[in-house]
Amino acid sequence: MKNGKSYCFIVFPDEPTVTEKFASEELASYIEKSTGVGIPLIKEGQLVSVSSQPEHLLVVGKCRLTSQAGLQPEKLENEEILLVSKKGNLYLAGGDSSPLADPKTRNHESFGTLFAVYEFLERYLGVRWYWPGELGEIVPGKKELILPEVSLRQKPSFDFRAVYGYYADDPLISREQSSLWWRRQRLGSSRKGFPGTHAFNEWPERFARTHPEYFALQKDGSRLLDANHGGGHICLTNPEVKKQIVADILKKFKDPSVRAANVWPGDSHGLYGCRCVSCEASRDRSAPKTGTDSRLVWGLVNEIAKEVGKFYPDRWINGGSYAEFADIPEGMEFQPNVAVTICDIGLYWNRKDIEAYKQRITDWKNKVKKIYVWNYYFPSGPGQFVVAAHYINQIWRWCYGKVDGAINELDVGQCRFGGTWPDWPATVLNMYIYFKSLWQVQQDVDKILREYCQDLFGPASRPMLRFHLELEAALKKNYATGVRRDGRYETFWTKLYPPETITRLMTYLDEAEKLTSNEKLYHQRVAVMKNCFVRMKQASDSFLGSARFLRKEIICPAVSEGLDSFDGMLEDKQWTQAGRSGVFVQSVTGQPASTTTEVFLMHDGKNLYLGWKAGLKKGQIIRAERENSAQPVWWDDNFEAFFYAGDTYYQFIITSKGILWDARNGDTGWESKARVKTFVGDEYWSGELIIPVESLTSLPRPETFAGVTWEANFGRVYYFPENSLANGKKITWKEELQMWNPVFEPSFNIPEKSGLIRFP
């Protein structure tokens, strides 16, 4: 290609796979973007009928021409790529798992042919996809394109590379653009079926009516027959359940492309796992919380692996090292076809935790042959930048040969309701390096950082490089100080990124803004970064403001008698004597809440009377989908109360339907003997909770109560619809965390930031 003329064709198979066709289109599109010259795309069989034969061919996929050149593309393994120049032609091919697999979707399959094209575009045209969307795309202009002399055959360093939290939460970036960006980062898998995840989510629909005995027995004696509690929960010791699992897997393995099957209980297993006599006998209640159910769960995984291995010894049964079954059961020997998915944060802020993470991987590697990891790299707060470019590559260099692949949950706190990627500019560089490292682990991170800043920010590359390096330096500093990643905003804003660091970082962005004032494209990119960082600074300022140090008080007066009418409406005359909390504020920021919520308190010596009114926007529907306390009531609009006494805390959650969830130190087996009534009006819903004081055994309760003080806090998870039910669309809910005494954290249960109840 020279002087505005094309001397080559792009050739693809006569009956191309979905991947081969799309790869050819991507190749043509980016060559034209770079050179301004379009290249004809033709099927291989049409080549003989072309009147003027091209000087060069770009041959994509498993063409006859590729085989005739002696390159044997049919022998490429899944995701293995081939770039070879020969006699003036360039051959690009790869191992693809399925003719129908669409690379524009979220499929975790093999797209080797497409990845061969992307390798060519990045290596020889300098194309970069730093961010999702057009703004993050770099396509250097070229006056000519000379086919390189190349002979490259390459496999990925890790055979599974994926994310959860897929779509950038940005109105300027479409879902299609997000999907393509991840694919261009080489999202994919060499082995269909990995990694593990909760395996029985479809069982309620399949078996709830015909085999209720398959499902987890709950504390109240019922069977959990739906998937609304973090997935399907089954009885792990029922022999018929085991037979069904084996039968399902054997059927699945009839497809030779499926290399693994998952045996992994539903999420929230600690709350909803089976309580039958047999399952309880396999638990170890004396073990750490991370191992109480390890023998129960991994025993099942081992049994299934043994049975399936009789028929398919080369396939894998994948379990999860997660929650109550994270630990390796002492003395257990695993079947040779057992694989594990280790769920772990993976990105830590101090060396001690980093070494513990490595040791966890090492311990599992000594037990099983195949390991995947499910990471949770990033914090869940507004605009929280964490740059860990060098660490990410270093940890994956260490993992090479020990770990087979990975998935990263971008924001566990905010992705659970929509699978989006919030505040993507704060973490996009990390994910770019993450995927580069998973594809080919030997990366020059310093070079990547220089190119990233130069390509995206042009004249502002120096301050933007300082911005990113200083963010990373703050993290590195904490490796040695021992600051732990504990999920607390206080750690983030006072230890990792204190206000003086935030201020200094903002000066780099201000400088970059000035340097690009006459360069529209570069200026837009700086603005994207600065707008996100401004949210981080605002959150820091809010957290460090004076409201953080308030400890509110509420008076709980004595009344001579209980309620005349117990109906949730708070209209009984006794409520006029109750202490009032004042309106709630936003829990994370301390700013005014979007609706009015208030608490009322009184006691009669034997019972604590707790009332509340939870405001609604006019005409708003209430999120009230749960039917009983065995379901995750915290996903409905709810009121919460916490009472603290040393290491003990009591928690009550009530929904607008009057469903009561109560626990002592998280144990739902505790019986509070509390009673509740709720009422739903047009502009609020309200409730009355009567708690026998004798149930709160750890709290001080002299007979007169005079002068007694309790530590407590009250919260509300307010849900409001982001859209309507128009056109049959499912409601998308947004949440606002409201509290009486704000804790400036994404969690309500922060004892040291509680308020005080005073009994006069």
Side-chain angles (χ1 to χ4, degrees), residues 119-131:
E119 191 71 26
F120 169 76
L121 293 174
E122 288 188 318
R123 279 183 181 240
Y124 300 108
L125 268 71
V127 175
R128 297 290 185 270
W129 297 282
Y130 290 123
W131 298 350

Side-chain angles (χ1 to χ4, degrees), residues 360-398:
R360 187 178 177 194
I361 291 172
T362 300
D363 291 344
W364 274 107
K365 191 64 178 177
N366 290 332
K367 288 290 187 177
V368 300
K369 296 178 181 178
K370 190 166 286 294
I371 294 178
Y372 293 84
V373 294
W374 190 302
N375 291 141
Y376 311 86
Y377 266 18
F378 304 113
S380 55
Q384 288 187 352
F385 278 77
V386 175
V387 174
H390 289 85
Y391 168 83
I392 290 170
N393 183 249
Q394 288 165 6
I395 195 66
W396 285 109
R397 286 183 185 226
W398 181 88

Side-chain angles (χ1 to χ4, degrees), residues 566-571 612-626 636-639 654-659 676-688 716 718-719 733:
F566 180 43
D567 53 17
M569 300 179 69
L570 278 78
E571 293 183 348
W612 66 91
K613 284 191 175 181
L616 301 168
K617 295 178 181 177
K618 189 172 183 180
Q620 179 202 318
I621 61 173
I622 302 175
R623 189 175 197 188
E625 300 169 3
R626 272 25 78 171
D636 280 344
D637 199 307
N638 69 78
F639 170 80
I654 303 96
T655 72
S656 63
K657 286 184 176 180
I659 298 170
V676 67
K677 291 286 185 179
T678 56
F679 168 79
V680 177
D682 293 333
E683 297 182 357
Y684 67 91
W685 71 273
S686 59
E688 297 172 344
R716 179 196 178 185
Y718 169 53
Y719 285 100
W733 296 93

Side-chain angles (χ1 to χ4, degrees), residues 91-111:
Y91 300 89
L92 304 99
D96 304 328
S97 59
S98 168
L100 300 178
D102 187 351
K104 297 190 292 296
T105 68
R106 297 173 62 176
N107 288 344
H108 295 147
E109 296 198 41
S110 301
F111 301 99

Side-chain angles (χ1 to χ4, degrees), residues 441-460:
V441 75
Q442 298 297 329
Q443 295 288 336
D444 185 339
V445 176
D446 291 323
K447 181 181 177 183
I448 291 174
L449 286 172
R450 288 194 302 271
E451 290 180 349
Y452 179 87
C453 292
Q454 183 60 55
D455 290 346
L456 285 175
F457 308 113

Side-chain angles (χ1 to χ4, degrees), residues 1 177 228 235 270 291 383 403 445 539 545 577 613 645 681 730 738 750:
M1 187 175 300
Q177 288 174 319
N228 299 323
C235 176
V403 173
V445 176
Q577 305 174 51
K613 284 191 175 181
K730 184 178 180 181
Q738 305 176 0
I750 310 293

